[in-house]
Amino acid sequence: MAAPDLLDPKTATHNSKPRLSFSAQPVLLKSPDDFEPRVTVMRWKTVLSVFLLVVLYLIVGATVFKELEQPHETSQKLAILVEKLEFLEQHPCVNSSDLENLVKQVVSALRAGVNPSGYSSNQSSLWDLSNSFFFAGTVITTIGFGNISPHTEGGRIFCIIYALLGIPLFGFLLAGVGDQLGTIFGKAIAKVEGMIDKWNVSQTKIRVISTVLFILFGCLLFVTLPAIIFKHIEGWSALESIYFVVITLTTIGFGDFVAGEGERRQHEENSGSELEYLDYYKPLVWFWILIGLAYFAAVLSMIGDWFRVISKKTKEEVGEFRAHAAEWTANVSAEFKETRRRLSVDIYDRFQRAASIKRKLSAEINLSPPVNQQMTPGKRARSVNLGDEREVYPYTFVRNGSLFLNGLIPDYADHLDITKTQTK
Amino acid sequence: MSTTFRSCFVPTGFILGYIAYLLLGALVFSAIERPVEETLKSDLSSLKAEFLNLSCVNATALETFLEKVLQANKYGVSVLENATLPTNWDLASALFFANTMVTTVGYGHSTPLSDEGKAFSIVYALIGVPFTMLVLTACVQRLMHPLTYGPISICQRRAGLQPRTASVVHFIVLLFLVVLGFFVVPALVFSTIEETWSFLDSFYFCFISLCTIGLGDFVPAEKPGQRLRALYKISVMVYLFVGLMVMFLVLRTFHKLADVHGWTAFFQLPSYEEEDEDREPIIEQEPDDESPEAEKASVKPLDPSSQVSYNSINR
């Protein structure tokens, strides 16, 4: 008979549900002294060592950049200085071609990364150690401001190799810092949750509150506070400070605003002079970038999660719709199959009965005793009944040819019903 | 059959949404920035005229002039006379700018000048960067099947190699093809089109762009009088996006390789997880249930190889 599964509408839709499968990865051994519940969080010692490694890497990179770039820069500075002196010594009446030449020189000097304006001849180099450190930092964090960039061939080749090794290294560090940040935050949240628990607030509300707290607190600590500090020290407007913070922490890094490279704005009196920065300003900025990047990574991944949840929900709804459609079609086909089954059973029964009657009749015609002996009392009664009509029915059997059809002759069917009740 | 259709439909939908988002950003930037740029240009030309009118030029005036030139050049506005440098904010350039912003490359050759532009950039970046990462992740996950899982299983079946050696062989071949196709060949093309770039410069540009560092010392299609500038910019944009996708693919393949060899376990890093929609892991890789969602989001294993671009949404 037909498999019972197909007739059951429930099992038909069950095939479209996700299969459960075991993860195919080998069982990984945990280190014995890892008592933290999460295997994927790095220990703080590891993080510290990776941090020191990154700092060392940056210092090495800074030294190499300085060695490669500073000579080139010095020669460029000399060239532009000579240009300027020549220009000033010339007749004060300037014509446009001279002006164009000067401007071209200025532009090419800019491309070399040199600032041709400014009175003092011993300007700080763009490639001294702290600036090179900052540049190396912008390379491995992939921010890439671009206000400083290597111009020698050796510098560029080294930059490529440096980035190839440094970016994954920084990625490790960022993962570790993010883990530590999350641990600290998690402990704080657990404490807060312990306090809120007394108020019997639902779990989802707690989670929502903690998410909001995380965003607000992080924004305050890593965005607002640095923005205020930058506004005060660099002299930017509030919008520009926030703009700088966001562009830096998403690693876009345009370079139009760079902390530590600023000049006083032109509305001030001594335009063109560089700001006096404290010595530890730039390393502090870099440290802020590190932690801020970890925070931003968390925020952006949360936003990405929301996108993902939304897309999954739409997919689910589409999936639900499909499931409903599948269930409906499964129901309809199941009913159809059921009807067919009943029909076929019915036909099969009638066929069987017709066959048995044919056997009996043929047995009586041939007068074969073994067949009579096999007959049940009911059958014998029937054969006695049919014996009268013997001369009529054989004709119908033979004429139609198909025994199967004979069972469906209406008047014969009535007799069958009577006999059916008798045999049953 | 329906699952493959669905798995093709979702990344296509994402890509269309991504293109629409870029177009929106480009239009907005173009509308906001162009007037400001025009103003700056006219200011500079009037300053130049003033300078020429002076009979005697002194040092301070020169310094002021140079200062202005510096400022202008920083924003990509050139003051040279015969430079017919087109605007930085026509549709193709604005699209290019939006793309560099959203993929976090950020060249900086043209930046928003107005306050509204800056404010819009903030919002645009905060939404666009995770969205782009999501799109790239979805695409890379689909691409992993034909490009990584497929060849590795073929290697295992046909050549009869162990999983470890098969993955190593596949990774080396993939790396070679990627370097050839996405670094060497484009570098040749760029060095031919951009006359001032040598092969090393073009290679350097390709590398800096595809790692999303984006220093901005080399930017294609910035030469004055460039033919077919819009088409050039858009093709560079497509190259950057596809190249970024391929870099992600290489990183994920490497992560899988490291996982197969047990390096991720050695460094206690999050292991590679296959994102297959038809399978649900029986054992959830989550910490204790009491941890709030925010903590889960911040603690969620920041995939080291993908931390470069906030790929930690990849779960």
Side-chain angles (χ1 to χ4, degrees):
Chain A
M1 298 297 271
D5 293 342
L6 290 175
L7 301 175
D8 187 4
K10 283 182 218 158
T11 51
T13 52
H14 200 65
N15 289 335
S16 62
K17 282 198 183 148
R19 299 176 268 120
L20 294 178
S21 73
F22 287 95
S23 174
Q25 288 163 10
V27 174
L28 305 169
L29 293 171
K30 288 192 241 180
S31 62
D33 48 338
D34 185 16
F35 290 115
E36 289 185 297
R38 294 180 225 103
V39 188
T40 51
V41 171
M42 279 198 261
R43 288 170 288 175
W44 69 273
K45 280 183 187 165
T46 322
V47 177
L48 197 63
S49 51
V50 174
F51 176 79
L52 287 173
L53 191 67
V54 169
V55 168
L56 190 69
Y57 188 82
L58 283 177
I59 291 173
V60 166
T63 322
V64 176
F65 274 120
K66 174 170 139 63
E67 290 306 310
L68 288 173
E69 293 294 327
Q70 211 163 26
H72 176 84
E73 182 199 38
T74 328
S75 62
Q76 276 284 328
K77 269 207 296 201
L78 278 173
I80 193 78
L81 201 60
V82 164
E83 266 301 304
K84 245 168 75 174
L85 288 171
E86 272 182 24
F87 182 84
L88 286 174
E89 276 172 7
Q90 276 173 4
H91 247 290
C93 290
V94 205
N95 53 3
S96 57
S97 59
D98 280 344
L99 180 68
E100 290 303 319
N101 282 333
L102 175 71
V103 169
K104 272 184 197 158
Q105 283 290 323
V106 167
V107 168
S108 56
L110 281 171
R111 276 208 206 102
V114 174
N115 181 352
S117 74
Y119 290 96
S120 57
S121 55
N122 51 348
Q123 295 167 19
S124 58
S125 162
L126 275 177
W127 289 103
D128 60 359
L129 203 62
S130 73
N131 282 336
S132 306
F133 185 87
F134 200 69
F135 172 71
T138 64
V139 167
I140 63 171
T141 55
T142 77
I143 296 176
F145 284 125
N147 58 337
I148 315 173
S149 58
H151 286 92
T152 57
E153 274 199 12
R156 284 173 184 154
I157 294 175
F158 177 70
C159 190
I160 291 174
I161 301 170
Y162 191 73
L164 267 177
L165 297 175
I167 291 172
L169 180 67
F170 188 74
F172 278 112
L173 176 66
L174 205 62
V177 169
D179 282 342
Q180 294 301 313
L181 206 67
T183 318
I184 295 172
F185 185 71
K187 284 182 187 160
I189 278 291
K191 277 188 190 165
V192 170
E193 271 189 8
M195 289 194 293
I196 293 182
D197 243 350
K198 295 170 196 163
W199 301 344
N200 283 340
V201 188
S202 72
Q203 193 71 14
T204 41
K205 272 190 192 167
I206 289 178
R207 288 194 183 186
V208 165
I209 290 174
S210 55
T211 316
V212 168
L213 270 181
F214 172 72
I215 292 179
L216 279 180
F217 191 69
C219 262
L220 190 72
L221 199 59
F222 299 118
V223 176
T224 321
L225 197 64
I228 295 173
I229 294 176
F230 287 134
K231 176 171 157 38
H232 184 68
I233 293 183
E234 300 278 343
W236 298 332
S237 74
L239 177 69
E240 283 166 356
S241 309
I242 296 179
Y243 170 75
F244 166 72
V245 166
V246 169
I247 293 291
T248 307
L249 290 185
T250 52
T251 78
I252 296 177
F254 283 130
D256 47 354
F257 294 96
V258 182
E261 301 290 334
E263 297 166 354
R264 283 198 199 276
R265 315 203 96 211
Q266 284 164 7
H267 57 265
E268 300 204 13
E269 286 176 9
N270 46 345
S271 63
S273 66
E274 288 190 9
L275 292 171
E276 302 276 322
Y277 294 113
L278 297 169
D279 271 338
Y280 55 83
Y281 178 67
K282 278 204 173 145
L284 206 67
V285 170
W286 184 80
F287 195 67
W288 160 73
I289 287 178
L290 173 65
I291 303 187
L293 277 177
Y295 166 72
F296 249 69
V299 169
L300 289 174
S301 69
M302 221 189 301
I303 297 178
D305 272 345
W306 292 339
F307 277 129
R308 195 166 253 257
V309 164
I310 290 171
S311 78
K312 257 198 183 149
K313 274 197 178 149
T314 37
K315 264 195 259 182
E316 269 172 18
E317 277 165 28
V318 168
E320 266 179 32
F321 176 70
R322 280 170 178 263
H324 280 304
E327 195 173 330
W328 180 81
T329 45
N331 278 337
V332 165
S333 62
E335 279 193 31
F336 184 58
K337 280 186 180 132
E338 180 66 31
T339 318
R340 271 175 54 195
R341 188 186 72 89
R342 262 186 254 123
L343 263 177
S344 67
V345 164
D346 200 17
I347 290 166
Y348 183 72
D349 275 347
R350 287 166 195 243
F351 173 66
Q352 289 284 66
R353 270 178 234 117
S356 60
I357 287 167
K358 185 211 172 193
R359 251 184 277 119
K360 268 198 310 291
L361 288 174
S362 60
E364 282 187 9
I365 289 170
N366 295 338
L367 292 172
S368 55
V371 180
N372 281 335
Q373 284 169 6
Q374 285 172 11
M375 277 196 283
T376 62
K379 279 186 184 169
R380 269 193 223 112
R382 203 173 22 176
S383 65
V384 166
N385 285 339
L386 286 171
D388 303 329
E389 298 158 353
R390 194 178 28 192
E391 296 184 339
V392 180
Y393 281 96
Y395 287 101
T396 51
F397 282 137
V398 170
R399 211 186 304 141
N400 285 337
S402 165
L403 277 172
F404 186 72
L405 278 176
N406 281 331
L408 292 176
I409 294 174
D411 47 352
Y412 189 63
D414 292 335
H415 284 273
L416 273 182
D417 285 338
I418 295 166
T419 52
K420 206 170 36 175
T421 52
Q422 280 181 347
T423 50
K424 281 178 186 171
Chain B
M1 190 62 186
S2 61
T3 44
T4 48
F5 174 71
R6 203 169 50 180
S7 65
C8 287
F9 178 70
V10 170
T12 319
F14 269 133
I15 288 178
L16 287 174
Y18 174 79
I19 293 175
Y21 188 82
L22 279 182
L23 277 172
L24 173 75
L27 284 168
V28 174
F29 276 118
S30 189
I32 292 178
E33 292 297 328
R34 221 153 153 176
V36 181
E37 190 196 34
E38 299 295 324
T39 323
L40 190 61
K41 267 191 191 164
S42 58
D43 278 349
L44 267 176
S45 54
S46 62
L47 181 72
K48 228 169 87 172
E50 250 181 68
F51 193 87
L52 286 172
N53 281 338
L54 289 174
S55 57
C56 210
V57 61
N58 55 0
T60 47
L62 177 68
E63 293 304 326
T64 322
F65 180 72
L66 286 178
E67 190 74 34
K68 291 271 184 189
V69 170
L70 273 177
Q71 275 298 97
N73 205 68
K74 217 164 52 168
Y75 295 135
V77 176
S78 170
V79 81
L80 295 173
E81 196 174 51
N82 49 1
T84 51
L85 195 70
T87 171
N88 265 327
W89 296 104
D90 61 342
L91 194 64
S93 308
L95 202 63
F96 188 70
F97 172 74
N99 189 48
T100 61
M101 178 180 261
V102 141
T103 51
T104 78
V105 173
Y107 287 122
H109 65 293
S110 62
T111 55
L113 299 167
S114 58
D115 280 349
E116 299 88 9
K118 291 189 177 105
F120 179 69
S121 320
I122 292 172
V123 177
Y124 192 75
L126 280 174
I127 298 177
V129 170
F131 179 58
T132 313
M133 293 309 142
L134 188 69
V135 169
L136 284 171
T137 318
C139 292
V140 166
Q141 275 168 13
R142 294 293 168 270
L143 281 177
M144 282 293 278
H145 289 278
L147 291 179
T148 302
Y149 303 145
I152 288 184
S153 58
I154 287 175
C155 275
Q156 281 180 244
R157 258 183 275 134
R158 295 236 184 113
L161 294 170
Q162 291 293 311
R164 287 192 171 196
T165 37
S167 54
V168 168
V169 163
H170 167 262
F171 181 68
I172 291 175
V173 169
L174 181 73
L175 203 62
F176 178 71
L177 284 175
V178 163
V179 166
L180 194 70
F182 281 92
F183 286 95
V184 173
V185 168
L188 284 169
V189 171
F190 279 127
S191 60
T192 321
I193 297 180
E194 300 278 343
E195 285 136 23
T196 50
W197 295 10
S198 69
F199 176 74
L200 175 68
D201 294 341
S202 315
F203 191 86
Y204 169 75
F205 162 74
C206 292
F207 178 79
I208 293 289
S209 307
L210 288 184
C211 283
T212 77
I213 299 176
L215 286 171
D217 44 359
F218 290 102
V219 183
E222 289 300 315
K223 203 182 57 179
Q226 175 74 43
R227 291 182 301 138
L228 299 173
R229 192 160 171 257
L231 183 69
Y232 187 22
K233 269 199 187 297
I234 290 181
S235 48
V236 171
M237 220 175 76
V238 170
Y239 158 68
L240 285 179
F241 189 73
V242 175
L244 203 62
M245 217 188 305
V246 167
M247 296 294 275
F248 276 15
L249 183 75
V250 169
L251 282 173
R252 268 184 79 84
T253 313
F254 182 71
H255 196 192
K256 183 165 161 50
L257 179 81
D259 207 46
V260 166
H261 283 257
W263 298 335
T264 48
F266 180 69
F267 288 109
Q268 289 185 354
L269 292 167
S271 58
Y272 179 86
E273 284 170 30
E274 287 186 11
E275 264 281 348
D276 202 348
E277 286 181 350
D278 289 331
R279 298 207 194 103
E280 284 173 347
I282 283 185
I283 301 167
E284 288 288 315
Q285 296 285 348
E286 275 176 8
D288 36 301
D289 292 332
E290 295 154 9
S291 62
E293 212 165 8
E295 187 203 355
K296 200 165 40 153
S298 65
V299 176
K300 188 187 327 114
L302 296 170
D303 193 358
S305 56
S306 59
Q307 190 43 54
V308 176
S309 322
Y310 306 113
N311 209 1
S312 51
I313 50 178
N314 169 23
R315 237 211 299 219

